[in-house]
């Protein structure tokens, strides 16, 4: 204690005789202890919110499609915007990068029927073995064999067909763990965009070509009759009609016309059902027809691509997928 008590009952002031600072009666008395600083409030305004959203978006980014597919099972299709990069960043924008990233998702299809045999291509869209191809590749097939990029061969069954759009969905038997392609967005394509085509022309599986989008919304006509889609033993026979003229054989009386992407990427018989891909590695179309002045298989020296190929836009494929999965056969 700072005070002492005398026996006389008086208190002794220890500060007596010392000069003290004057006290202004208007000044408030000093606090008994220093006040604790008020806690700082965290900013909850737009800047902090945008930063959080940016971090979440960056974390989700290109892994969204893959994550959804793995978490929801083998029958979920990976779909993305055109900004999603399937190609590793070190090879972004290169044909080699696209080929390396997407080739494992492209298959060769051999279909046999009473009308003959056909060789085409297909795109794996689920890890469980769902494959999109052209209707004219598998129409009427009694037996379908599919060879993946690693050389494995599977039997397959037709799930559904849409002859009006020249699309078909087949399913591999006893397949799992396959690398599914990512379906992109064809609505934002522009003339001049670079593209890559992968397929099995003339049975040469895994063939890669490149080019650009030459035109949009081209009307092309292909056969719907199963016997018109069979590929003769000579190796030609991809019937196709454009501008009132027929190429690579007679298209027959039963045909369908659809809006297609035009590309100068080299396409040949056997590319049917293969992939047209943007430079980020997203599927933007299913290759379906080519222009060739050959007319018949007898002029093999003139057969083949002249830089006028056509593909079904991937948006058409995505819109038709539920119908194909339901087993449509029209």
């Amino acid at each position: 204690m700072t005070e002492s008590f005398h026996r006389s009952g008086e208190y002794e002031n220890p500060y007596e005789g010392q000069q003290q600072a004057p006290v202004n009666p208007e000044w408030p008395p000093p606090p008994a202890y220093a006040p604790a600083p008020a806690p700082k409030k965290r900013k909850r305004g737009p800047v902090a919110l945008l930063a959080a959203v940016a971090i979440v978006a960056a974390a989700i980014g290109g892994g969204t499609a893959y994550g959804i597919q793995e978490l929801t099972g083998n029958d979920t299709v990976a779909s993305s915007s055109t900004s999603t990069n399937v190609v590793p960043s070190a090879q972004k924008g290169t044909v080699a990068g696209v080929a390396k990233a997407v080739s494992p998702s492209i298959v060769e299809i051999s279909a046999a029927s009473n009308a003959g045999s056909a060789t085409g291509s297909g795109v794996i869209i689920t890890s469980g073995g769902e494959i999109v191809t052209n209707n004219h590749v598998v129409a009427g097939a009694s037996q379908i064999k599919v060879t993946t990029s690693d050389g494995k061969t599977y039997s397959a069954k037709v799930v559904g067909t849409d002859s009006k759009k020249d699309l078909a969905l087949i399913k591999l038997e006893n397949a799992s763990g396959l690398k599914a392609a990512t379906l992109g967005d064809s609505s934002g394509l522009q003339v001049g965009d670079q593209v890559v085509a992968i397929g099995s022309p003339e049975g040469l599986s895994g063939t890669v070509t490149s080019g650009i989008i030459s035109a949009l919304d081209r009307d092309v006509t292909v056969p719907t009759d199963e016997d018109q889609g069979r590929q003769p033993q000579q190796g030609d026979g991809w019937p196709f009609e454009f501008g009132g003229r027929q190429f690579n054989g007679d298209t027959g009386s039963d045909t369908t016309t659809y809006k297609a992407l035009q590309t100068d990427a080299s396409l040949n018989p056997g590319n049917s059902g293969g992939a047209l891909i943007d430079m980020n590695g997203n599927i933007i179309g299913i290759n379906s027809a080519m222009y060739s002045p050959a007319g018949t298989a007898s002029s093999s020296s003139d057969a083949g691509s002249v830089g006028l190929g056509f593909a079904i836009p991937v948006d058409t494929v995505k819109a038709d997928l539920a119908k194909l999965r339901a087993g449509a056969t029209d």
Side-chain angles (χ1 to χ4, degrees), residues 115-171:
S117 62
T119 299
S121 306
V123 179
I124 300 171
I125 62 170
T126 64
S127 61
E130 284 185 321
I131 293 172
V132 170
T133 186
N134 287 140
N135 175 67
H136 73 258
V137 172
V138 298
S142 57
Q143 185 181 58
I144 301 173
K145 295 291 184 182
V146 173
T147 304
T148 54
S149 63
D150 58 3
K152 293 181 180 179
T153 300
Y154 298 85
S155 295
K157 299 292 185 182
V158 174
V159 176
T161 61
D162 187 343
S163 59
K164 292 182 176 59
K165 295 183 177 67
D166 196 22
L167 289 172
L169 181 69
I170 65 175
K171 179 70 179 292

Side-chain angles (χ1 to χ4, degrees), residues 17 44 141 143 175 231 253 290:
R44 306 289 291 184
Q143 185 181 58
Q231 190 164 313
S253 58
M290 71 170 189

Side-chain angles (χ1 to χ4, degrees), residues 2-308:
T2 58
E3 295 177 323
S4 60
F5 186 77
H6 285 219
R7 290 183 179 177
S8 59
E10 296 179 355
Y11 285 97
E12 178 181 31
N13 185 352
Y15 299 105
E16 186 176 356
Q18 296 183 13
Q19 186 177 1
Q20 298 184 25
V23 177
N24 190 327
E26 294 183 0
W27 292 349
Y33 53 88
K40 294 182 179 180
K41 293 184 178 180
R42 297 182 64 182
K43 292 183 178 180
R44 306 289 291 184
V47 174
L49 179 60
L50 288 176
V53 172
I55 292 172
V56 172
I60 294 176
T64 303
Y66 176 81
I68 291 174
Q69 181 178 337
E70 290 302 309
L71 291 174
T72 56
N74 291 340
D75 293 330
T76 299
V77 177
S79 183
S80 76
S81 68
T82 54
S83 61
T84 299
N85 284 315
V86 179
V87 181
S89 57
Q91 294 183 301
K92 181 181 178 181
T94 67
V95 175
V98 172
K100 183 176 181 180
V102 185
S103 288
S105 302
I106 312 302
V107 300
E108 179 181 330
I109 299 174
S110 298
S113 74
N114 294 332
S117 62
T119 299
S121 306
V123 179
I124 300 171
I125 62 170
T126 64
S127 61
E130 284 185 321
I131 293 172
V132 170
T133 186
N134 287 140
N135 175 67
H136 73 258
V137 172
V138 298
S142 57
Q143 185 181 58
I144 301 173
K145 295 291 184 182
V146 173
T147 304
T148 54
S149 63
D150 58 3
K152 293 181 180 179
T153 300
Y154 298 85
S155 295
K157 299 292 185 182
V158 174
V159 176
T161 61
D162 187 343
S163 59
K164 292 182 176 59
K165 295 183 177 67
D166 196 22
L167 289 172
L169 181 69
I170 65 175
K171 179 70 179 292
L172 303 186
E173 297 178 350
N174 302 317
S176 63
L178 302 179
K179 184 175 182 180
T182 299
L183 304 185
D185 180 1
S186 54
S187 64
L189 294 175
Q190 300 182 49
V191 173
D193 284 347
Q194 290 184 298
V195 292
V196 173
I198 304 179
S200 301
E202 305 294 354
L204 301 173
S205 60
T207 296
V208 178
T209 58
S210 64
I212 63 169
I213 296 291
S214 303
L216 305 171
D217 298 324
R218 292 295 201 197
D219 287 327
V220 299
T221 302
V222 295
T224 57
D225 290 339
E226 61 187 66
D227 57 340
Q228 296 297 326
R230 299 303 109 198
Q231 190 164 313
Q233 296 300 317
Q234 297 97 315
D236 205 339
W238 189 357
F240 161 59
E241 181 180 310
F242 182 74
R245 299 175 62 193
Q246 294 178 346
F247 303 92
N248 296 327
D250 184 7
T251 58
S253 58
D254 193 357
T255 61
T256 185
T257 301
Y258 55 82
K259 298 289 185 181
L261 305 173
Q262 180 182 328
T263 178
D264 68 349
S266 180
L267 301 180
N268 290 282
N271 274 114
S272 284
L276 192 66
I277 312 156
D278 68 17
M279 299 309 291
N280 288 328
N282 301 298
I283 308 299
I284 56 169
I286 300 297
N287 299 321
S288 59
M290 71 170 189
Y291 177 103
S292 174
T296 65
S298 61
S299 181
S300 59
S301 61
D302 294 328
S305 174
V306 292
L308 292 173

